[in-house]
Each structure stands twice: as C-alpha cells, then as structure tokens.
C-alpha cells in the first residue's frame, strides 16, 4: 500500500525522479501502438460497448456500466456484461456468474454488478470468449464490457471513456513515469467521455456519484446519511478502491469526522482488517462490502452509490446505438 501511495503521489503530482524512466515510458507507448496495429479484432456476434479508462486504477467505471446497462435495457436491448474478473479466481473461464457465485470466484466488481443488475454476466481474461458465451447461452444482443479499452482483440462499436474528475490524466505520462496506459491523444479518438466528479478543465459529460442511504451489513437496516445520529458521526471510513480519497471526501461533505483506512484496490479483506482500536461505526464502499459480509458485525455499514450522468450523454448514446447493426 505504501508503494501504491508513493506512485500515486508522483503520478498525480510531479514525477521528479521518475523522469529518469522517460525512455521506458516512450518504449511503453511504442509497444502499445504496435500491439494495437498488429492485433486483429474479433466480433463476439453482437454489438458491443466498451466502458473503460486510459489510466491505471479506478475512475468510476462500475457505476457507469450499471447506468448504461439499465438505460439500454429500457431501449429494449437484451444486455449482457463482461469483465476480466480481476481479483477473482474462477474454476473455469469464461465463467458465468450466478446467484451461487462468490466474490472470490467472480471478482469483487463483477459480483457487485451482478448483484445490482441481475443481468447475464461473464468473466474471463479473454473478453471475446466471455462475450460469445453470453450471446450463445443468453441470446444477448448488446454486450457491455467493463473495462477493455486496451483489450484490442475485442471488436467494439462504441467506446466510452471514464475520467476521474479529481485526478484527470495525472502528470500526462505513460507508465512507468505516469499513470497512463495509453497517451492522452487516445482520448480524442473515443466516442463518448464521462467526467466522474466534474472538472471544467476536462471535456466530457459529467457524472456525480450519489450515495444517500447506508446499509448495515449484519442486519440489512437502512439509514439515510442525513438521519445518522450526531453522536455517531465520528467513524472508521474504509475504502479499497482506485481512489479512496473520493469516498472519504464524499463522507466529509456529508458531515462525518473520519478515521481514514485506505486499502489497495481489490484488497482481499480479513477479519483483522476491520479490527480497530476505537469502537466506532465502520462505513465502507459497496465494493469492499461484498468481501466483508461473511464476517460483518453490527457496526459495519456500506454506502451504495449510483452514477447520475448528464442526460445529454444518453441522447448521444442513443444516437450512436441507432447506427449499430444488431442483426449480426
């Protein structure tokens, strides 16, 4: 975690000594460009929307996937979702997530998306194989790929880029000097861009993450944040996501006094991770909660969030979808 924090300070600040690695960053860019030219894309048999980012770490893709999937369902599409399943170890790939699956098998984000949406969802390092599975077994006529902008084998009809509005593109360099998996110029070739958190310096449709009601992991009790007792507003805040500070800032804005506990993205929680010196309520993200339910105590709460995206985004998305051939 200390290494990750150090890299983030450099990537989203001034790289300083990392500038010595600039030759490696240029080599990385060259290899990425060559790979993209040499790899032949494969169709999964249905139109496909890729929702991803060009930077390392979380940018808020999961709420976007869920929001876009719900919208496309409303248009009459039979939607399926594919993901790499990072952090999970399935018994076989491609792996179809079911009600009997666990986060350890599916990965925390795919498990969360399946629980929230109920849509057919498959995971595999080979997203083409996962998408084909959904087309063949569930007759899906629109696939949404959670991440995968750099999975060049995957033929895509629409690309959606999600950008962290607080951190943007960091210092603008590719790995290892900066956080980018592709140069900033790649963003200009993408169909639709969403700015998570809003940033007037970045071009795209804005999205705000809205979380208003906490859920107790042990009892299922729901409590609106505005109704949280004033005497219990000093809490342990737990976040194992790409940008934990985004979660912490949202809780501070809601009037909480935090003892912050940032963990690495996709952290595999144990009982000991949630044992703190002060006996206070523990509030975590929904992504963390799916891995903590089995040992949750009555003081453990999660805060589900939904992505509220600029309506103009959906207008453009619908226009793009009208141009897509769904008969394949």
């Amino acid at each position: 975690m200390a290494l990750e924090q150090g890299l983030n300070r450099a990537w989203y600040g001034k790289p300083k000594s990392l500038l010595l690695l600039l030759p490696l960053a240029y080599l990385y860019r060259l290899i990425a460009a060559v790979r993209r030219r040499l790899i032949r894309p494969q169709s999964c048999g249905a139109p496909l929307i890729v929702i991803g980012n060009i930077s390392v770490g979380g940018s808020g893709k999961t709420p976007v996937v869920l929001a876009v999937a719900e919208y496309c369902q409303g248009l009459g599409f039979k939607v399926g979702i594919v993901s790499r399943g990072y952090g999970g170890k399935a018994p076989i790939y491609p792996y179809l997530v079911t009600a009997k699956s666990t986060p350890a098998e599916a990965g925390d984000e795919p498990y969360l998306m399946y629980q929230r949406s109920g849509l057919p969802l498959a995971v595999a390092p080979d997203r083409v194989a996962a998408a084909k599975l959904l087309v063949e077994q569930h007759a899906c006529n629109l696939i949404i790929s959670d991440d995968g902008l750099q999975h060049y084998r995957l033929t895509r009809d629409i690309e959606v880029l999600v950008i962290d509005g607080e951190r943007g593109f960091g210092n603008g360099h590719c790995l290892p000097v900066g956080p980018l998996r592709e140069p900033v110029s790649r963003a200009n070739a993408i169909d639709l861009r969403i700015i998570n958190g809003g940033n007037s310096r970045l071009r795209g449709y804005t999205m705000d993450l809205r979380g208003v009601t906490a859920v107790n992991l042990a009892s299922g009790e729901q409590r609106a944040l505005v109704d949280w007792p004033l005497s219990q507003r000093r809490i342990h805040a737990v976040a194992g996501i790409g940008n934990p500070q985004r979660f912490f800032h949202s809780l501070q804005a809601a009037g909480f006094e935090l003892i912050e506990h940032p963990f690495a993205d996709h952290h595999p929680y144990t009982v000991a991770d949630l044992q703190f010196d002060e006996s206070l309520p523990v509030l975590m993200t929904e992504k963390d909660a799916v891995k903590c339910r089995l040992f949750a105590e009555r003081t453990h709460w999660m805060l589900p969030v939904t992505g509220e995206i600029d309506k103009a985004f959906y207008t453009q998305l619908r226009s793009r979808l009208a141009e897509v051939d769904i008969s394949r």
Side-chain angles (χ1 to χ4, degrees), residues 132-266:
K132 286 182 176 180
L133 180 68
L134 296 182
V135 172
E136 294 167 2
Q137 294 196 13
H138 288 273
C140 294
N141 61 8
L142 180 65
I143 303 296
I144 298 175
S145 176
D146 168 41
D147 209 357
L149 279 179
Q150 292 78 38
H151 196 74
Y152 303 124
R153 286 185 55 244
L154 192 62
T155 297
R156 69 283 311 267
D157 297 270
I158 299 172
E159 290 184 327
V160 179
L161 176 67
V162 185
I163 307 168
D164 186 326
E166 294 180 2
R167 303 194 295 181
F169 297 117
N171 59 32
H173 291 287
C174 283
L175 294 166
V177 179
L180 301 184
R181 294 184 282 187
E182 296 182 275
V184 175
S185 58
R186 171 77 165 95
N188 298 324
I190 288 173
D191 300 293
L192 300 166
R193 310 199 324 179
I194 291 175
I195 313 302
N196 179 12
N199 188 322
S200 59
R201 295 173 300 171
L202 298 171
R203 180 172 56 85
Y205 300 100
T206 58
M207 177 180 74
D208 292 316
L209 295 180
R210 182 172 173 79
V212 297
T213 303
V215 180
N216 188 279
L217 297 191
S219 67
E221 175 192 351
Q222 296 189 18
R223 179 187 293 173
L225 294 187
V226 294
D227 296 330
W228 199 280
L230 293 177
S231 61
Q232 298 179 24
R233 284 186 171 260
R234 178 173 168 80
I235 64 171
H236 294 289
V238 171
I241 57 178
N243 182 8
Q245 288 303 317
R246 186 193 304 124
F247 180 64
F248 299 152
H249 291 163
S250 69
L251 294 180
Q252 288 169 338
F256 288 90
E257 179 187 349
L258 309 185
I259 301 175
E260 298 178 2
H261 302 279
F263 288 87
D265 198 11
H266 304 287

Side-chain angles (χ1 to χ4, degrees), residues 272-303:
D273 290 325
L274 302 183
Q275 300 296 314
F276 305 121
D277 292 336
E278 287 190 69
S279 181
L280 299 169
V282 177
L283 189 52
M284 67 186 72
T285 73
E286 188 176 14
K287 176 177 167 179
D288 299 307
V290 298
K291 294 173 285 189
C292 298
R293 286 187 181 276
L294 291 179
F295 51 83
E297 300 177 2
R298 291 191 63 85
T299 56
H300 295 165
W301 299 76
M302 70 171 178
L303 183 65

Side-chain angles (χ1 to χ4, degrees), residues 63-93:
V64 175
V65 171
L66 291 171
V68 170
E70 182 179 5
Y71 177 76
C72 292
Q73 269 191 297
L75 295 179
F77 288 98
K78 188 172 179 57
V79 179
I81 300 173
V82 297
S83 179
R84 187 187 186 283
Y86 189 85
K89 188 174 182 181
I92 190 172
Y93 289 109

Side-chain angles (χ1 to χ4, degrees), residues 114-138:
Y114 178 78
Q115 291 288 313
R116 286 276 292 267
S117 71
L119 292 171
L121 194 153
V123 299
D126 180 356
R127 291 181 182 82
V128 177
K132 286 182 176 180
L133 180 68
L134 296 182
V135 172
E136 294 167 2
Q137 294 196 13
H138 288 273

